[in-house]
Amino acid sequence: MSSCKKVALYTLGCKVNQYETESIKNQMIRSGFEIVDFEEKADYYIVNTCTVTNIADRKSRNMLRRAKRANKDGIVIVTGCYAQTNSEDLSKMDEIDYIIGNTDKKNIINFIQDIEETELFSESKNNKNKIKLNNVFLYKDYDEYGIADFREMCRVYIKIQDGCNNFCSYCKIPFARGKSRSRNKENILEEVKKIGEEGFKEIIIIGINLGTYGEDITGKEEFNNIMREILDKKCIERVRVGSFYPDKITDEFAELFSDKNLMPHLHISLQSCDDKILKKMKRKYDSSLIEEKLVKLREKVPLMEFTGDIIVGFPGETDEMFQNTYNLIEKIGFSGLHIFPYSDRENTEAANFIEKVPGKIKRERVTLLEQLRDKMGYQIRKKYIGTELNVLIDEEDSEYYYGYSENYLRVKLKKTNKISQTKILNKIKKLKINLAEKEMLMSNG
């Protein structure tokens, strides 16, 4: 295989997708390919797509068109969730040469090697044999991508679970990812150990539905047990839990935070805080459980802060129902929110629901929650003025260092001559907070 072949990769969507792209990139590098920026001329373009909303679908298509514009002779490969669920639609796009579903994503390197070695591309370019995917529900075992090296400055993401069995009424992800599947415990712990040996200070445990880890292996949830084993290794100073469902917050889970290495922050997959909407969504909790679990956890765990996901404008959501969501979010207090206007997803129950909420109303509700998010975030940040937080420094510019506190608040540290002479990137610094700004905290050191 020619070592001068160039590959450009682009990822849309969640951290799990990004983790998987990094694994593909590592496979390419080990096989002699050169990785280049997506805007550059490349021999292969790989777009790892998302389909959680119709906006994600549109962004995926746009990136595929951009790839072909960058090099009309380049081979464009689409993979990921949109490729898995909408392969026939994508096959009609002239810009796409090959479609590889999630079921075969980890083997993209083998597919490209076949193209290189057998000139498969030149033989099949003009026929319809360009789709490679299988029924995702037939897969019962976790696809091991190996150590993916998905790193953001000083932190590393570790994927331990894939798929979801919930089939919430609005969600396509089970059709894209299949049933819940758990990663082998030994492989997880080996990756944690390797990352610790490389000097990284923080890991984030991710999955599609983390709380179900282990159900497919032992018949019961094992997430708390695997977290305890990760924490017991004591080779990483900071461990974070990725997106989590409120009904998975148990007393045993809360007890994990007694370990000082588990960071006091959770991103909560809420979606709504109105009981009628939650029931229509087929979520397994109601608003009282959300309030009970989060308030109790915040009382038990010092410095605990929450961020969350919310869908507005779900079919049948009245002004009163939206207000219920607004009120509970305000009552609990979130340092950040991801807010999504509802969009129909094919093959989901909600796509057939009547009483669609007009786009204008959805946009108004998004704006209201954005305003609440900004107000809450500022109020939460203000309460830390005069206190000390432990900040992992991960970035710098000419005036400031930047990092995240243990409870995932962004902090900037003013550079001084004394501070600038000290190497503090990838260091955890105890900083006194002097000021709360719109989007972050500030320390003078």
Side-chain angles (χ1 to χ4, degrees):
M1 182 181 301
S2 173
S3 61
C4 66
K5 292 286 186 176
K6 296 180 179 181
V7 179
L9 303 102
Y10 193 90
T11 312
L12 297 105
C14 66
K15 299 297 184 185
V16 171
N17 246 16
Q18 295 174 50
Y19 177 97
E20 292 164 354
T21 297
E22 286 299 309
S23 175
I24 294 168
K25 183 179 78 173
N26 289 341
Q27 293 175 32
M28 295 292 176
I29 292 171
R30 288 195 295 269
S31 297
F33 287 91
E34 179 186 352
I35 306 299
V36 299
D37 289 340
F38 198 78
E39 303 299 333
E40 292 186 31
K41 187 174 183 178
D43 299 286
Y44 295 92
Y45 294 88
I46 300 172
V47 180
N48 193 1
T49 59
C50 173
T51 190
V52 71
T53 65
N54 57 9
I55 294 173
D57 291 352
R58 185 170 67 248
K59 287 181 178 179
S60 296
R61 293 191 298 270
N62 288 341
M63 293 311 302
L64 292 160
R65 294 186 181 104
R66 282 174 60 181
K68 209 60 170 180
R69 285 199 299 270
N71 181 10
K72 64 181 178 61
D73 296 318
I75 298 174
V76 176
I77 299 172
V78 57
T79 188
C81 292
Y82 192 33
Q84 182 68 40
T85 60
N86 294 74
S87 61
E88 291 299 328
D89 294 336
L90 289 169
S91 70
K92 299 171 185 175
M93 288 182 62
D94 293 336
E95 294 87 352
I96 297 172
D97 296 302
Y98 290 102
I99 300 165
I100 299 180
N102 275 332
T103 55
D104 295 280
K105 184 193 292 185
K106 71 172 184 177
N107 297 317
I108 283 181
I109 181 61
N110 298 331
F111 186 76
I112 290 178
Q113 286 171 338
D114 286 343
I115 295 174
E116 290 287 298
E117 294 168 6
T118 67
E119 296 184 337
L120 172 64
F121 179 68
S122 61
E123 295 171 6
S124 63
K125 187 173 182 179
N126 294 318
N127 67 32
K128 296 293 184 181
N129 185 27
K130 67 177 186 178
I131 302 175
K132 184 175 179 58
L133 76 163
N134 295 291
N135 185 342
V136 74
F137 294 112
L138 297 179
Y139 286 72
K140 297 181 179 180
D141 297 324
Y142 176 92
D143 283 331
E144 181 58 65
Y145 279 78
I147 297 174
D149 291 347
F150 174 27
R151 293 154 185 195
E152 286 183 354
M153 301 297 183
C154 308
R155 59 188 54 82
V156 180
Y157 291 80
I158 298 180
K159 179 187 171 189
I160 70 167
Q161 183 273 340
D162 203 346
C164 184
N165 299 338
N166 286 359
F167 289 92
C168 295
S169 66
Y170 57 87
C171 186
K172 277 178 71 176
I173 298 308
F175 302 100
R177 290 277 176 177
K179 295 178 180 179
S180 181
R181 305 179 303 285
S182 305
R183 188 179 182 187
N184 177 278
K185 179 179 74 172
E186 285 70 28
N187 291 341
I188 297 170
L189 297 177
E190 178 187 352
E191 185 167 1
V192 171
K193 180 173 179 289
K194 180 179 183 294
I195 289 165
E197 289 171 348
E198 292 182 9
F200 285 88
K201 295 291 192 294
E202 181 173 301
I203 58 174
I204 304 177
I205 306 301
I206 60 172
I208 299 299
N209 188 353
L210 272 180
T212 62
Y213 176 85
E215 283 183 350
D216 55 310
I217 298 174
T218 66
K220 59 181 181 179
E221 293 175 2
E222 298 284 354
F223 180 76
N224 295 331
N225 291 335
I226 188 62
M227 285 300 300
R228 196 171 292 108
E229 292 199 48
I230 290 170
L231 291 165
D232 286 347
K233 292 191 78 67
K234 299 300 180 188
C235 59
I236 300 287
E237 290 186 55
R238 291 161 65 126
V239 179
R240 294 191 187 277
V241 175
S243 182
F244 213 67
Y245 287 26
D247 55 306
K248 301 299 183 183
I249 299 174
T250 62
D251 290 342
E252 183 183 5
F253 174 76
E255 201 56 45
L256 292 171
F257 289 91
S258 61
D259 189 309
K260 65 180 179 62
N261 295 111
L262 185 57
M263 297 296 98
H265 165 262
L266 279 181
H267 186 80
I268 307 297
S269 180
L270 290 171
Q271 312 314 342
S272 177
C273 296
D274 176 81
D275 290 343
K276 291 180 181 178
I277 294 298
L278 287 168
K279 187 175 181 179
K280 288 181 70 176
M281 287 180 165
K282 289 195 168 180
R283 304 296 279 183
K284 297 181 179 180
Y285 51 85
D286 58 17
S287 60
S288 61
L289 182 141
I290 294 171
E291 182 174 1
E292 174 195 348
K293 297 289 188 179
L294 299 194
V295 170
K296 186 176 180 180
L297 189 61
R298 183 173 272 153
E299 289 174 348
K300 183 178 179 62
V301 181
L303 300 181
M304 175 59 76
E305 296 295 351
F306 302 117
T307 52
D309 294 326
I310 287 289
I311 297 172
V312 301
F314 189 82
E317 184 186 62
T318 64
D319 289 343
E320 181 182 0
M321 293 171 184
F322 170 74
Q323 194 63 46
N324 289 338
T325 292
Y326 184 102
N327 291 344
L328 186 54
I329 288 172
E330 185 176 36
K331 183 177 182 180
I332 293 170
F334 288 76
S335 58
L337 289 175
H338 294 160
I339 305 157
F340 304 93
Y342 169 82
S343 61
D344 284 337
R345 305 278 74 206
E346 60 266 47
N347 298 319
T348 64
E349 290 185 47
N352 298 316
F353 290 172
I354 58 174
E355 298 181 289
K356 303 295 186 188
V357 177
K360 180 176 182 291
I361 294 177
K362 285 192 282 189
R363 290 191 294 273
E364 289 171 352
R365 291 175 182 173
V366 167
T367 299
L368 288 170
L369 279 183
E370 287 175 341
Q371 292 170 345
L372 175 62
R373 175 193 61 197
D374 295 345
K375 183 180 77 170
M376 286 188 304
Y378 181 64
Q379 290 172 340
I380 286 170
R381 285 188 288 277
K382 273 204 310 184
K383 73 182 183 182
Y384 290 101
I385 295 174
T387 69
E388 291 184 328
L389 293 174
N390 295 302
V391 179
L392 174 57
I393 305 297
D394 60 22
E395 191 178 359
E396 68 174 314
D397 60 22
S398 59
E399 293 186 68
Y400 297 97
Y401 289 104
Y402 301 87
Y404 282 100
S405 66
E406 52 267 75
N407 50 4
Y408 209 65
L409 299 175
R410 194 66 170 164
V411 180
K412 66 179 184 180
L413 169 64
K414 180 73 174 176
K415 282 186 174 180
T416 63
N417 289 336
K418 181 179 179 181
I419 293 174
S420 298
Q421 291 170 4
T422 307
K423 293 182 179 180
I424 64 172
L425 280 176
N426 197 34
K427 303 289 185 184
I428 298 172
K429 303 290 291 183
K430 185 181 286 291
L431 300 178
K432 184 175 181 180
I433 303 303
N434 302 105
L435 181 68
E437 296 183 342
K438 183 178 179 182
E439 295 182 346
M440 66 182 70
L441 294 166
M442 180 173 168
S443 172
N444 294 326

